[in-house]
Amino acid sequence: MSRKNRSHDVEESDVDMTPMLDIVFILLIFFIVTTSFVKEEGLMISKPEKNNNPPDNPSPTIVVKISDQGLVNFNGKMVDIERLPARIENFLAKNETSTAVVIPGDNTQYEHVVKVIDQIKTFNQLTIAIGK
């Protein structure tokens, strides 16, 4: 009979989850604090409003086309990307304009477009537009 009494005397044991929750919250705080929040820079592009009325005296525009292979055309003539600022400077000396249009091909790599835009950005008086 003593055996039966022992089985009734056994208490149920519970697992205390408090230390486990403490560790989870400490890990969560650690990852939040060590995560670096980096703001990536990008290009701000504003689309011009559509104007159906052409200006009376249109000024010449700089048109830079980039092929899918990364070849650059400046106003219809092939140019090396390192020579592009010299061509733009020569064009601005002969013509008064404030707009440069960059037209990339459908499968042009972004790095080629960014290199061309970086070359044009050296001229503060030019507004850069991206066309298709």
Side-chain angles (χ1 to χ4, degrees):
M1 188 108 163
S2 64
R3 287 181 129 180
K4 288 185 177 180
N5 287 342
R6 273 195 204 168
S7 65
H8 291 291
D9 290 341
V10 176
E11 295 179 19
E12 288 189 35
S13 62
D14 290 331
V15 177
D16 188 18
M17 293 299 291
T18 306
M20 182 69 154
L21 288 172
D22 289 343
I23 291 173
V24 169
F25 282 123
I26 289 171
L27 286 173
L28 179 67
I29 291 170
F30 174 75
F31 285 117
I32 289 173
V33 170
T34 58
T35 302
S36 61
F37 298 101
V38 177
K39 183 179 179 183
E40 294 188 22
E41 294 185 25
L43 297 173
M44 291 299 296
I45 299 175
S46 58
K47 291 184 174 179
E49 293 181 14
K50 191 171 185 177
N51 188 1
N52 292 333
N53 300 332
D56 295 336
N57 189 8
S59 62
T61 303
I62 296 172
V63 178
V64 180
K65 292 184 181 180
I66 308 168
S67 71
D68 294 341
Q69 294 80 23
L71 302 173
V72 179
N73 284 323
F74 176 78
N75 287 346
K77 296 180 182 176
M78 188 77 84
V79 64
D80 189 29
I81 194 162
E82 284 81 22
R83 299 288 303 150
L84 185 61
R87 291 282 182 105
I88 293 173
E89 191 172 338
N90 187 22
F91 185 84
L92 291 175
K94 295 177 183 176
N95 303 301
E96 193 170 321
T97 187
S98 63
T99 306
V101 179
V102 178
I103 304 174
D106 290 335
N107 297 321
T108 304
Q109 293 181 355
Y110 291 118
E111 69 179 69
H112 297 300
V113 178
V114 171
K115 284 181 184 178
V116 168
I117 290 175
D118 286 343
Q119 296 288 338
I120 297 172
K121 278 179 25 178
T122 59
F123 299 94
N124 294 330
Q125 71 268 29
L126 291 178
T127 302
I128 303 171
I130 298 178
K132 186 165 182 168

